[in-house]
Amino acid sequence: FIWPDEDGNETNYRPTDLFRIKVRGMAPKVSEDTLVPAEWIEAANKRWLEFTAAKKPIEGPLRLAADIAGMGTDSTCFCHRYGNYVKQFDMMQGNGQANHMQAAGRIIQLLKTAHNPSLIPSAFIDTIGEGAGVYSRLKEQSIKEQVYSVKFSEKAEWKKKPLTDKTKEYEFFNMRAYLYWCIRDWLNPFFNSEAMLPVDDELMQELTNTKYEFMSNGSIKIESKDNIKKKIKRSPDKADALTMTFYPADAVAEAEQRKKQAYLLKRIYPF
């Protein structure tokens, strides 16, 4: 296509899948290295709309992820996931400076107002960059057992064992690759997906523009964030936030929940 650029000059334009679907009414052009096909996301959108319209109860503990904004005009993104149901994405607008106290306060508020308060909610913070300050502040609060540090660059391991995909066949270059692949497995109809995602063109664009590749040792690597930003002209904040809700902290959360339940029982039955 020929399309005018920001200065009004004609330039070649290669339509994305989102443009093909939403504007031209065409089928998506999915390449083999696309992380998530658009039709998988649309199926999750349909399930979300049906679930929400039926006003079904939200089950499971809240897994809240926060992609913390840095300096400038970036926004902090929050993803609320309860089991297979992503309730919503929230954006907290930046004000030209990194406000760790404000972000920490917002996270505490969201955890305290979560559905199913009897189940321990968890927060997952990207601690490479500005998120480190927010994480440190939250660890000082009474909710410290609910907050987890996520580093995309760390090894894709849990309890010193490599993390794998659902088929137990693939391993991953780093934690970022594993977490992004978790979204693929979660949405994949081959695994009878029950994933529910709110309709969000930005999230659709971020996921369908993300590619993956196999390294020489057979592990999977996800396309760099800088490459994705060049394609979509912004940071993939919503996709990053969604990935963090899959951070493998279930065993820790369950242990903490058992500890709290034992404490409550001791208070009720002190003998």
Side-chain angles (χ1 to χ4, degrees):
F1 295 99
I2 302 297
W3 202 268
D5 61 18
E6 295 178 354
D7 299 321
N9 301 315
E10 290 188 346
T11 184
N12 290 323
Y13 173 73
R14 185 177 182 180
T16 63
D17 268 354
L18 186 61
F19 182 91
R20 292 169 64 89
I21 297 167
K22 298 288 187 179
V23 179
R24 306 210 65 201
M26 300 171 67
K29 187 178 181 180
V30 180
S31 61
E32 291 184 359
D33 61 349
T34 296
L35 180 73
V36 181
E39 57 264 34
W40 294 6
I41 301 172
E42 289 179 330
N45 293 159
K46 182 180 178 182
R47 288 189 290 267
W48 188 93
L49 291 170
E50 292 172 349
F51 181 92
T52 304
K55 297 182 179 179
K56 294 181 179 180
I58 297 175
E59 300 178 351
L62 170 64
R63 293 174 73 88
L64 175 72
D67 185 58
I68 307 297
M71 304 294 286
T73 58
D74 288 347
S75 299
T76 291
C77 178
F78 301 101
C79 176
H80 308 238
R81 182 167 72 86
Y82 295 84
N84 285 316
Y85 181 69
V86 175
K87 183 174 184 288
Q88 66 194 63
F89 290 90
D90 287 336
M91 305 299 290
M92 188 174 74
Q93 297 300 316
N95 57 3
Q97 59 183 0
N99 194 327
H100 299 165
M101 300 291 284
Q102 184 180 6
R106 177 64 174 155
I107 291 168
I108 292 172
Q109 178 195 32
L110 293 173
L111 291 175
K112 288 183 176 179
T113 57
H115 293 272
N116 307 324
S118 62
L119 301 176
I120 301 175
S122 304
F124 302 88
I125 315 295
D126 177 7
T127 53
I128 295 180
E130 297 296 340
V134 176
Y135 175 75
S136 296
R137 176 58 181 161
L138 289 170
K139 292 292 284 184
E140 297 171 355
Q141 307 303 306
S142 59
I143 62 163
K144 61 184 179 181
E145 74 278 2
Q146 302 165 329
V147 182
Y148 303 97
S149 166
V150 180
K151 292 183 174 68
F152 285 151
S153 60
E154 68 181 303
K155 290 182 179 180
E157 295 181 347
W158 186 248
K159 295 185 177 180
K160 297 183 179 181
K161 294 182 179 180
L163 292 164
T164 62
D165 71 317
K166 274 195 171 185
T167 67
K168 308 297 182 183
E169 182 178 352
Y170 299 131
E171 295 183 6
F172 300 91
F173 175 72
N174 56 14
M175 183 61 74
R176 177 173 178 266
Y178 168 75
L179 294 176
Y180 264 89
W181 199 266
C182 282
I183 295 179
R184 178 183 170 88
D185 278 351
W186 181 58
L187 292 169
N188 194 336
F190 179 80
F191 298 120
N192 298 315
S193 174
E194 296 180 356
M196 292 173 277
L197 280 172
V199 179
D200 191 307
D201 285 350
E202 289 184 343
L203 179 64
M204 168 81 81
Q205 185 186 40
E206 292 167 14
L207 291 177
T208 57
N209 275 280
T210 301
K211 308 292 184 183
Y212 71 91
E213 63 178 321
F214 286 94
M215 306 297 289
S216 59
N217 64 356
S219 65
I220 292 174
K221 183 179 181 180
I222 298 297
E223 182 178 14
S224 72
K225 188 171 183 175
D226 286 341
N227 281 352
I228 298 171
K229 289 171 72 173
K230 288 177 182 177
K231 287 190 286 187
I232 67 176
K233 309 303 181 186
R234 57 183 172 79
S235 177
D237 296 332
K238 292 180 179 178
D240 278 353
L242 178 59
T243 65
M244 286 190 285
T245 68
F246 290 92
Y247 189 74
D250 292 329
V252 178
E254 289 172 0
E256 292 294 344
Q257 186 159 346
R258 287 195 298 271
K259 186 192 301 183
K260 281 199 170 185
Q261 288 172 343
Y263 172 76
L264 290 173
L265 286 172
K266 189 175 181 180
R267 289 283 300 273
I268 297 171
Y269 306 106
F271 45 84

PDB file of all heavy atoms in Angstrom, residues 12-46:
ATOM      1  N   ASN A  12       5.674   3.506   1.447  1.00  0.00           N
ATOM      2  CA  ASN A  12       5.141   2.145   1.396  1.00  0.00           C
ATOM      3  C   ASN A  12       4.678   1.728   2.783  1.00  0.00           C
ATOM      4  O   ASN A  12       5.331   2.009   3.788  1.00  0.00           O
ATOM      5  CB  ASN A  12       6.212   1.167   0.902  1.00  0.00           C
ATOM      6  CG  ASN A  12       6.537   1.361  -0.562  1.00  0.00           C
ATOM      7  OD1 ASN A  12       5.641   1.656  -1.349  1.00  0.00           O
ATOM      8  ND2 ASN A  12       7.793   1.199  -0.932  1.00  0.00           N
ATOM      9  N   TYR A  13       3.553   1.053   2.827  1.00  0.00           N
ATOM     10  CA  TYR A  13       2.999   0.617   4.104  1.00  0.00           C
ATOM     11  C   TYR A  13       2.647  -0.855   4.010  1.00  0.00           C
ATOM     12  O   TYR A  13       1.941  -1.280   3.090  1.00  0.00           O
ATOM     13  CB  TYR A  13       1.739   1.416   4.453  1.00  0.00           C
ATOM     14  CG  TYR A  13       1.005   0.908   5.678  1.00  0.00           C
ATOM     15  CD1 TYR A  13       1.521   1.105   6.952  1.00  0.00           C
ATOM     16  CD2 TYR A  13      -0.209   0.225   5.548  1.00  0.00           C
ATOM     17  CE1 TYR A  13       0.862   0.630   8.067  1.00  0.00           C
ATOM     18  CE2 TYR A  13      -0.873  -0.253   6.660  1.00  0.00           C
ATOM     19  CZ  TYR A  13      -0.335  -0.040   7.907  1.00  0.00           C
ATOM     20  OH  TYR A  13      -0.996  -0.517   9.017  1.00  0.00           O
ATOM     21  N   ARG A  14       3.154  -1.638   4.943  1.00  0.00           N
ATOM     22  CA  ARG A  14       2.848  -3.065   4.996  1.00  0.00           C
ATOM     23  C   ARG A  14       1.831  -3.288   6.097  1.00  0.00           C
ATOM     24  O   ARG A  14       2.140  -3.129   7.276  1.00  0.00           O
ATOM     25  CB  ARG A  14       4.115  -3.868   5.269  1.00  0.00           C
ATOM     26  CG  ARG A  14       3.900  -5.373   5.224  1.00  0.00           C
ATOM     27  CD  ARG A  14       5.211  -6.103   5.432  1.00  0.00           C
ATOM     28  NE  ARG A  14       5.040  -7.539   5.344  1.00  0.00           N
ATOM     29  CZ  ARG A  14       6.033  -8.400   5.497  1.00  0.00           C
ATOM     30  NH1 ARG A  14       7.258  -7.954   5.733  1.00  0.00           N
ATOM     31  NH2 ARG A  14       5.806  -9.692   5.404  1.00  0.00           N
ATOM     32  N   PRO A  15       0.577  -3.641   5.748  1.00  0.00           N
ATOM     33  CA  PRO A  15      -0.471  -3.747   6.774  1.00  0.00           C
ATOM     34  C   PRO A  15      -0.204  -4.869   7.757  1.00  0.00           C
ATOM     35  O   PRO A  15       0.249  -5.945   7.385  1.00  0.00           O
ATOM     36  CB  PRO A  15      -1.737  -4.030   5.954  1.00  0.00           C
ATOM     37  CG  PRO A  15      -1.241  -4.640   4.691  1.00  0.00           C
ATOM     38  CD  PRO A  15       0.090  -3.991   4.419  1.00  0.00           C
ATOM     39  N   THR A  16      -0.489  -4.595   9.026  1.00  0.00           N
ATOM     40  CA  THR A  16      -0.392  -5.621  10.060  1.00  0.00           C
ATOM     41  C   THR A  16      -1.655  -6.478  10.024  1.00  0.00           C
ATOM     42  O   THR A  16      -2.652  -6.139   9.379  1.00  0.00           O
ATOM     43  CB  THR A  16      -0.260  -4.983  11.452  1.00  0.00           C
ATOM     44  OG1 THR A  16      -1.460  -4.227  11.715  1.00  0.00           O
ATOM     45  CG2 THR A  16       0.930  -4.037  11.516  1.00  0.00           C
ATOM     46  N   ASP A  17      -1.617  -7.595  10.771  1.00  0.00           N
ATOM     47  CA  ASP A  17      -2.809  -8.435  10.840  1.00  0.00           C
ATOM     48  C   ASP A  17      -3.997  -7.673  11.415  1.00  0.00           C
ATOM     49  O   ASP A  17      -5.143  -7.864  10.991  1.00  0.00           O
ATOM     50  CB  ASP A  17      -2.524  -9.675  11.683  1.00  0.00           C
ATOM     51  CG  ASP A  17      -2.031 -10.847  10.841  1.00  0.00           C
ATOM     52  OD1 ASP A  17      -2.027 -10.711   9.602  1.00  0.00           O
ATOM     53  OD2 ASP A  17      -1.668 -11.890  11.416  1.00  0.00           O
ATOM     54  N   LEU A  18      -3.745  -6.812  12.406  1.00  0.00           N
ATOM     55  CA  LEU A  18      -4.828  -6.052  13.012  1.00  0.00           C
ATOM     56  C   LEU A  18      -5.490  -5.149  11.979  1.00  0.00           C
ATOM     57  O   LEU A  18      -6.715  -5.025  11.918  1.00  0.00           O
ATOM     58  CB  LEU A  18      -4.298  -5.223  14.183  1.00  0.00           C
ATOM     59  CG  LEU A  18      -5.346  -4.469  15.005  1.00  0.00           C
ATOM     60  CD1 LEU A  18      -6.323  -5.447  15.637  1.00  0.00           C
ATOM     61  CD2 LEU A  18      -4.680  -3.615  16.073  1.00  0.00           C
ATOM     62  N   PHE A  19      -4.683  -4.501  11.104  1.00  0.00           N
ATOM     63  CA  PHE A  19      -5.208  -3.637  10.049  1.00  0.00           C
ATOM     64  C   PHE A  19      -6.007  -4.468   9.050  1.00  0.00           C
ATOM     65  O   PHE A  19      -7.099  -4.078   8.623  1.00  0.00           O
ATOM     66  CB  PHE A  19      -4.053  -2.922   9.347  1.00  0.00           C
ATOM     67  CG  PHE A  19      -4.494  -1.954   8.271  1.00  0.00           C
ATOM     68  CD1 PHE A  19      -4.729  -0.621   8.575  1.00  0.00           C
ATOM     69  CD2 PHE A  19      -4.664  -2.378   6.964  1.00  0.00           C
ATOM     70  CE1 PHE A  19      -5.134   0.263   7.595  1.00  0.00           C
ATOM     71  CE2 PHE A  19      -5.066  -1.501   5.969  1.00  0.00           C
ATOM     72  CZ  PHE A  19      -5.302  -0.170   6.288  1.00  0.00           C
ATOM     73  N   ARG A  20      -5.488  -5.626   8.691  1.00  0.00           N
ATOM     74  CA  ARG A  20      -6.166  -6.492   7.724  1.00  0.00           C
ATOM     75  C   ARG A  20      -7.532  -6.931   8.245  1.00  0.00           C
ATOM     76  O   ARG A  20      -8.524  -6.954   7.504  1.00  0.00           O
ATOM     77  CB  ARG A  20      -5.304  -7.733   7.442  1.00  0.00           C
ATOM     78  CG  ARG A  20      -4.025  -7.460   6.689  1.00  0.00           C
ATOM     79  CD  ARG A  20      -3.123  -8.692   6.699  1.00  0.00           C
ATOM     80  NE  ARG A  20      -3.749  -9.805   5.999  1.00  0.00           N
ATOM     81  CZ  ARG A  20      -3.629 -10.030   4.686  1.00  0.00           C
ATOM     82  NH1 ARG A  20      -2.919  -9.210   3.932  1.00  0.00           N
ATOM     83  NH2 ARG A  20      -4.215 -11.065   4.123  1.00  0.00           N
ATOM     84  N   ILE A  21      -7.610  -7.238   9.552  1.00  0.00           N
ATOM     85  CA  ILE A  21      -8.854  -7.737  10.132  1.00  0.00           C
ATOM     86  C   ILE A  21      -9.855  -6.606  10.360  1.00  0.00           C
ATOM     87  O   ILE A  21     -11.014  -6.678   9.932  1.00  0.00           O
ATOM     88  CB  ILE A  21      -8.577  -8.461  11.464  1.00  0.00           C
ATOM     89  CG1 ILE A  21      -7.700  -9.683  11.231  1.00  0.00           C
ATOM     90  CG2 ILE A  21      -9.868  -8.865  12.161  1.00  0.00           C
ATOM     91  CD1 ILE A  21      -7.128 -10.265  12.501  1.00  0.00           C
ATOM     92  N   LYS A  22      -9.410  -5.531  11.045  1.00  0.00           N
ATOM     93  CA  LYS A  22     -10.315  -4.478  11.485  1.00  0.00           C
ATOM     94  C   LYS A  22     -10.713  -3.513  10.367  1.00  0.00           C
ATOM     95  O   LYS A  22     -11.852  -3.035  10.335  1.00  0.00           O
ATOM     96  CB  LYS A  22      -9.664  -3.682  12.634  1.00  0.00           C
ATOM     97  CG  LYS A  22      -9.375  -4.502  13.880  1.00  0.00           C
ATOM     98  CD  LYS A  22     -10.649  -4.852  14.618  1.00  0.00           C
ATOM     99  CE  LYS A  22     -10.331  -5.529  15.937  1.00  0.00           C
ATOM    100  NZ  LYS A  22     -11.556  -5.862  16.695  1.00  0.00           N
ATOM    101  N   VAL A  23      -9.797  -3.186   9.477  1.00  0.00           N
ATOM    102  CA  VAL A  23     -10.051  -2.167   8.459  1.00  0.00           C
ATOM    103  C   VAL A  23     -10.468  -2.766   7.130  1.00  0.00           C
ATOM    104  O   VAL A  23     -11.466  -2.365   6.529  1.00  0.00           O
ATOM    105  CB  VAL A  23      -8.809  -1.257   8.281  1.00  0.00           C
ATOM    106  CG1 VAL A  23      -9.072  -0.209   7.199  1.00  0.00           C
ATOM    107  CG2 VAL A  23      -8.455  -0.582   9.597  1.00  0.00           C
ATOM    108  N   ARG A  24      -9.728  -3.767   6.667  1.00  0.00           N
ATOM    109  CA  ARG A  24      -9.989  -4.312   5.347  1.00  0.00           C
ATOM    110  C   ARG A  24     -10.887  -5.540   5.351  1.00  0.00           C
ATOM    111  O   ARG A  24     -11.309  -6.009   4.300  1.00  0.00           O
ATOM    112  CB  ARG A  24      -8.661  -4.654   4.663  1.00  0.00           C
ATOM    113  CG  ARG A  24      -7.670  -3.483   4.618  1.00  0.00           C
ATOM    114  CD  ARG A  24      -6.787  -3.561   3.424  1.00  0.00           C
ATOM    115  NE  ARG A  24      -7.553  -3.403   2.187  1.00  0.00           N
ATOM    116  CZ  ARG A  24      -7.122  -3.813   0.993  1.00  0.00           C
ATOM    117  NH1 ARG A  24      -5.956  -4.407   0.889  1.00  0.00           N
ATOM    118  NH2 ARG A  24      -7.852  -3.649  -0.078  1.00  0.00           N
ATOM    119  N   GLY A  25     -11.181  -6.088   6.541  1.00  0.00           N
ATOM    120  CA  GLY A  25     -12.041  -7.254   6.615  1.00  0.00           C
ATOM    121  C   GLY A  25     -11.433  -8.485   5.993  1.00  0.00           C
ATOM    122  O   GLY A  25     -12.139  -9.382   5.529  1.00  0.00           O
ATOM    123  N   MET A  26     -10.112  -8.564   5.993  1.00  0.00           N
ATOM    124  CA  MET A  26      -9.406  -9.683   5.380  1.00  0.00           C
ATOM    125  C   MET A  26      -8.999 -10.702   6.445  1.00  0.00           C
ATOM    126  O   MET A  26      -8.979 -10.401   7.646  1.00  0.00           O
ATOM    127  CB  MET A  26      -8.154  -9.173   4.647  1.00  0.00           C
ATOM    128  CG  MET A  26      -8.448  -8.187   3.538  1.00  0.00           C
ATOM    129  SD  MET A  26      -6.934  -7.421   2.888  1.00  0.00           S
ATOM    130  CE  MET A  26      -6.151  -8.828   2.122  1.00  0.00           C
ATOM    131  N   ALA A  27      -8.659 -11.887   6.002  1.00  0.00           N
ATOM    132  CA  ALA A  27      -8.152 -12.907   6.918  1.00  0.00           C
ATOM    133  C   ALA A  27      -6.741 -12.542   7.346  1.00  0.00           C
ATOM    134  O   ALA A  27      -5.990 -11.940   6.580  1.00  0.00           O
ATOM    135  CB  ALA A  27      -8.150 -14.269   6.226  1.00  0.00           C
ATOM    136  N   PRO A  28      -6.364 -12.865   8.576  1.00  0.00           N
ATOM    137  CA  PRO A  28      -5.007 -12.568   9.024  1.00  0.00           C
ATOM    138  C   PRO A  28      -3.984 -13.366   8.232  1.00  0.00           C
ATOM    139  O   PRO A  28      -4.232 -14.494   7.827  1.00  0.00           O
ATOM    140  CB  PRO A  28      -5.011 -12.984  10.499  1.00  0.00           C
ATOM    141  CG  PRO A  28      -6.108 -13.984  10.596  1.00  0.00           C
ATOM    142  CD  PRO A  28      -7.152 -13.559   9.605  1.00  0.00           C
ATOM    143  N   LYS A  29      -2.833 -12.740   8.010  1.00  0.00           N
ATOM    144  CA  LYS A  29      -1.744 -13.402   7.307  1.00  0.00           C
ATOM    145  C   LYS A  29      -0.729 -13.846   8.355  1.00  0.00           C
ATOM    146  O   LYS A  29       0.171 -13.104   8.740  1.00  0.00           O
ATOM    147  CB  LYS A  29      -1.110 -12.440   6.302  1.00  0.00           C
ATOM    148  CG  LYS A  29      -0.062 -13.080   5.392  1.00  0.00           C
ATOM    149  CD  LYS A  29       0.457 -12.059   4.400  1.00  0.00           C
ATOM    150  CE  LYS A  29       1.490 -12.686   3.471  1.00  0.00           C
ATOM    151  NZ  LYS A  29       2.006 -11.702   2.484  1.00  0.00           N
ATOM    152  N   VAL A  30      -0.877 -15.066   8.833  1.00  0.00           N
ATOM    153  CA  VAL A  30      -0.085 -15.556   9.957  1.00  0.00           C
ATOM    154  C   VAL A  30       1.147 -16.285   9.446  1.00  0.00           C
ATOM    155  O   VAL A  30       1.045 -17.197   8.629  1.00  0.00           O
ATOM    156  CB  VAL A  30      -0.916 -16.495  10.849  1.00  0.00           C
ATOM    157  CG1 VAL A  30      -0.083 -16.996  12.011  1.00  0.00           C
ATOM    158  CG2 VAL A  30      -2.166 -15.788  11.343  1.00  0.00           C
ATOM    159  N   SER A  31       2.314 -15.898   9.918  1.00  0.00           N
ATOM    160  CA  SER A  31       3.539 -16.597   9.572  1.00  0.00           C
ATOM    161  C   SER A  31       3.822 -17.654  10.623  1.00  0.00           C
ATOM    162  O   SER A  31       3.291 -17.616  11.734  1.00  0.00           O
ATOM    163  CB  SER A  31       4.708 -15.613   9.473  1.00  0.00           C
ATOM    164  OG  SER A  31       4.921 -14.966  10.709  1.00  0.00           O
ATOM    165  N   GLU A  32       4.665 -18.608  10.266  1.00  0.00           N
ATOM    166  CA  GLU A  32       4.933 -19.727  11.166  1.00  0.00           C
ATOM    167  C   GLU A  32       5.606 -19.303  12.458  1.00  0.00           C
ATOM    168  O   GLU A  32       5.521 -20.005  13.459  1.00  0.00           O
ATOM    169  CB  GLU A  32       5.794 -20.761  10.442  1.00  0.00           C
ATOM    170  CG  GLU A  32       5.071 -21.491   9.318  1.00  0.00           C
ATOM    171  CD  GLU A  32       5.938 -22.576   8.694  1.00  0.00           C
ATOM    172  OE1 GLU A  32       7.099 -22.725   9.136  1.00  0.00           O
ATOM    173  OE2 GLU A  32       5.470 -23.257   7.779  1.00  0.00           O
ATOM    174  N   ASP A  33       6.308 -18.161  12.433  1.00  0.00           N
ATOM    175  CA  ASP A  33       7.017 -17.732  13.638  1.00  0.00           C
ATOM    176  C   ASP A  33       6.233 -16.724  14.472  1.00  0.00           C
ATOM    177  O   ASP A  33       6.772 -16.107  15.386  1.00  0.00           O
ATOM    178  CB  ASP A  33       8.391 -17.157  13.267  1.00  0.00           C
ATOM    179  CG  ASP A  33       8.292 -15.940  12.352  1.00  0.00           C
ATOM    180  OD1 ASP A  33       7.186 -15.659  11.838  1.00  0.00           O
ATOM    181  OD2 ASP A  33       9.327 -15.273  12.140  1.00  0.00           O
ATOM    182  N   THR A  34       4.939 -16.542  14.176  1.00  0.00           N
ATOM    183  CA  THR A  34       4.098 -15.657  14.976  1.00  0.00           C
ATOM    184  C   THR A  34       3.761 -16.344  16.299  1.00  0.00           C
ATOM    185  O   THR A  34       3.316 -17.492  16.313  1.00  0.00           O
ATOM    186  CB  THR A  34       2.801 -15.304  14.232  1.00  0.00           C
ATOM    187  OG1 THR A  34       3.123 -14.566  13.052  1.00  0.00           O
ATOM    188  CG2 THR A  34       1.871 -14.473  15.105  1.00  0.00           C
ATOM    189  N   LEU A  35       3.950 -15.636  17.388  1.00  0.00           N
ATOM    190  CA  LEU A  35       3.719 -16.239  18.702  1.00  0.00           C
ATOM    191  C   LEU A  35       2.261 -16.641  18.888  1.00  0.00           C
ATOM    192  O   LEU A  35       1.962 -17.778  19.273  1.00  0.00           O
ATOM    193  CB  LEU A  35       4.132 -15.269  19.812  1.00  0.00           C
ATOM    194  CG  LEU A  35       3.938 -15.796  21.237  1.00  0.00           C
ATOM    195  CD1 LEU A  35       4.984 -16.852  21.555  1.00  0.00           C
ATOM    196  CD2 LEU A  35       3.995 -14.662  22.247  1.00  0.00           C
ATOM    197  N   VAL A  36       1.338 -15.710  18.615  1.00  0.00           N
ATOM    198  CA  VAL A  36      -0.090 -15.965  18.840  1.00  0.00           C
ATOM    199  C   VAL A  36      -0.894 -15.504  17.622  1.00  0.00           C
ATOM    200  O   VAL A  36      -0.912 -14.308  17.321  1.00  0.00           O
ATOM    201  CB  VAL A  36      -0.605 -15.226  20.098  1.00  0.00           C
ATOM    202  CG1 VAL A  36      -2.085 -15.522  20.310  1.00  0.00           C
ATOM    203  CG2 VAL A  36       0.195 -15.612  21.331  1.00  0.00           C
ATOM    204  N   PRO A  37      -1.569 -16.408  16.926  1.00  0.00           N
ATOM    205  CA  PRO A  37      -2.433 -16.009  15.808  1.00  0.00           C
ATOM    206  C   PRO A  37      -3.627 -15.184  16.293  1.00  0.00           C
ATOM    207  O   PRO A  37      -4.134 -15.403  17.402  1.00  0.00           O
ATOM    208  CB  PRO A  37      -2.896 -17.344  15.215  1.00  0.00           C
ATOM    209  CG  PRO A  37      -1.895 -18.342  15.693  1.00  0.00           C
ATOM    210  CD  PRO A  37      -1.465 -17.864  17.048  1.00  0.00           C
ATOM    211  N   ALA A  38      -4.085 -14.279  15.457  1.00  0.00           N
ATOM    212  CA  ALA A  38      -5.187 -13.395  15.827  1.00  0.00           C
ATOM    213  C   ALA A  38      -6.460 -14.172  16.151  1.00  0.00           C
ATOM    214  O   ALA A  38      -7.221 -13.788  17.053  1.00  0.00           O
ATOM    215  CB  ALA A  38      -5.455 -12.392  14.701  1.00  0.00           C
ATOM    216  N   GLU A  39      -6.710 -15.285  15.435  1.00  0.00           N
ATOM    217  CA  GLU A  39      -7.951 -16.020  15.677  1.00  0.00           C
ATOM    218  C   GLU A  39      -7.989 -16.652  17.063  1.00  0.00           C
ATOM    219  O   GLU A  39      -9.064 -16.830  17.631  1.00  0.00           O
ATOM    220  CB  GLU A  39      -8.184 -17.084  14.595  1.00  0.00           C
ATOM    221  CG  GLU A  39      -7.068 -18.100  14.446  1.00  0.00           C
ATOM    222  CD  GLU A  39      -6.091 -17.757  13.341  1.00  0.00           C
ATOM    223  OE1 GLU A  39      -5.853 -16.543  13.120  1.00  0.00           O
ATOM    224  OE2 GLU A  39      -5.565 -18.693  12.705  1.00  0.00           O
ATOM    225  N   TRP A  40      -6.838 -16.970  17.650  1.00  0.00           N
ATOM    226  CA  TRP A  40      -6.825 -17.500  19.015  1.00  0.00           C
ATOM    227  C   TRP A  40      -7.269 -16.421  20.001  1.00  0.00           C
ATOM    228  O   TRP A  40      -7.994 -16.702  20.956  1.00  0.00           O
ATOM    229  CB  TRP A  40      -5.425 -17.972  19.393  1.00  0.00           C
ATOM    230  CG  TRP A  40      -4.908 -19.140  18.624  1.00  0.00           C
ATOM    231  CD1 TRP A  40      -5.493 -19.761  17.558  1.00  0.00           C
ATOM    232  CD2 TRP A  40      -3.686 -19.834  18.869  1.00  0.00           C
ATOM    233  NE1 TRP A  40      -4.705 -20.797  17.109  1.00  0.00           N
ATOM    234  CE2 TRP A  40      -3.590 -20.866  17.895  1.00  0.00           C
ATOM    235  CE3 TRP A  40      -2.660 -19.693  19.793  1.00  0.00           C
ATOM    236  CZ2 TRP A  40      -2.503 -21.740  17.832  1.00  0.00           C
ATOM    237  CZ3 TRP A  40      -1.579 -20.562  19.748  1.00  0.00           C
ATOM    238  CH2 TRP A  40      -1.501 -21.580  18.774  1.00  0.00           C
ATOM    239  N   ILE A  41      -6.802 -15.189  19.751  1.00  0.00           N
ATOM    240  CA  ILE A  41      -7.177 -14.078  20.623  1.00  0.00           C
ATOM    241  C   ILE A  41      -8.658 -13.761  20.471  1.00  0.00           C
ATOM    242  O   ILE A  41      -9.364 -13.498  21.458  1.00  0.00           O
ATOM    243  CB  ILE A  41      -6.316 -12.836  20.304  1.00  0.00           C
ATOM    244  CG1 ILE A  41      -4.831 -13.168  20.500  1.00  0.00           C
ATOM    245  CG2 ILE A  41      -6.725 -11.655  21.181  1.00  0.00           C
ATOM    246  CD1 ILE A  41      -3.892 -12.087  20.022  1.00  0.00           C
ATOM    247  N   GLU A  42      -9.163 -13.779  19.238  1.00  0.00           N
ATOM    248  CA  GLU A  42     -10.575 -13.508  19.008  1.00  0.00           C
ATOM    249  C   GLU A  42     -11.458 -14.542  19.699  1.00  0.00           C
ATOM    250  O   GLU A  42     -12.533 -14.217  20.217  1.00  0.00           O
ATOM    251  CB  GLU A  42     -10.860 -13.478  17.509  1.00  0.00           C
ATOM    252  CG  GLU A  42     -10.273 -12.261  16.800  1.00  0.00           C
ATOM    253  CD  GLU A  42     -10.539 -12.260  15.312  1.00  0.00           C
ATOM    254  OE1 GLU A  42     -10.640 -13.362  14.729  1.00  0.00           O
ATOM    255  OE2 GLU A  42     -10.644 -11.168  14.738  1.00  0.00           O
ATOM    256  N   ALA A  43     -11.035 -15.802  19.713  1.00  0.00           N
ATOM    257  CA  ALA A  43     -11.792 -16.843  20.413  1.00  0.00           C
ATOM    258  C   ALA A  43     -11.832 -16.556  21.915  1.00  0.00           C
ATOM    259  O   ALA A  43     -12.876 -16.736  22.567  1.00  0.00           O
ATOM    260  CB  ALA A  43     -11.177 -18.213  20.151  1.00  0.00           C
ATOM    261  N   ALA A  44     -10.702 -16.089  22.466  1.00  0.00           N
ATOM    262  CA  ALA A  44     -10.651 -15.728  23.888  1.00  0.00           C
ATOM    263  C   ALA A  44     -11.516 -14.496  24.161  1.00  0.00           C
ATOM    264  O   ALA A  44     -12.141 -14.395  25.228  1.00  0.00           O
ATOM    265  CB  ALA A  44      -9.205 -15.477  24.318  1.00  0.00           C
ATOM    266  N   ASN A  45     -11.572 -13.563  23.219  1.00  0.00           N
ATOM    267  CA  ASN A  45     -12.449 -12.388  23.348  1.00  0.00           C
ATOM    268  C   ASN A  45     -13.915 -12.819  23.413  1.00  0.00           C
ATOM    269  O   ASN A  45     -14.694 -12.298  24.225  1.00  0.00           O
ATOM    270  CB  ASN A  45     -12.270 -11.453  22.159  1.00  0.00           C
ATOM    271  CG  ASN A  45     -10.917 -10.785  22.082  1.00  0.00           C
ATOM    272  OD1 ASN A  45     -10.506 -10.330  21.020  1.00  0.00           O
ATOM    273  ND2 ASN A  45     -10.196 -10.715  23.195  1.00  0.00           N
ATOM    274  N   LYS A  46     -14.290 -13.760  22.553  1.00  0.00           N
ATOM    275  CA  LYS A  46     -15.680 -14.237  22.520  1.00  0.00           C
ATOM    276  C   LYS A  46     -16.052 -14.894  23.841  1.00  0.00           C
ATOM    277  O   LYS A  46     -17.136 -14.650  24.393  1.00  0.00           O
ATOM    278  CB  LYS A  46     -15.863 -15.224  21.363  1.00  0.00           C
ATOM    279  CG  LYS A  46     -17.286 -15.741  21.219  1.00  0.00           C
ATOM    280  CD  LYS A  46     -17.412 -16.718  20.054  1.00  0.00           C
ATOM    281  CE  LYS A  46     -18.834 -17.257  19.944  1.00  0.00           C
ATOM    282  NZ  LYS A  46     -18.966 -18.238  18.837  1.00  0.00           N
TER     283      LYS A  46
END
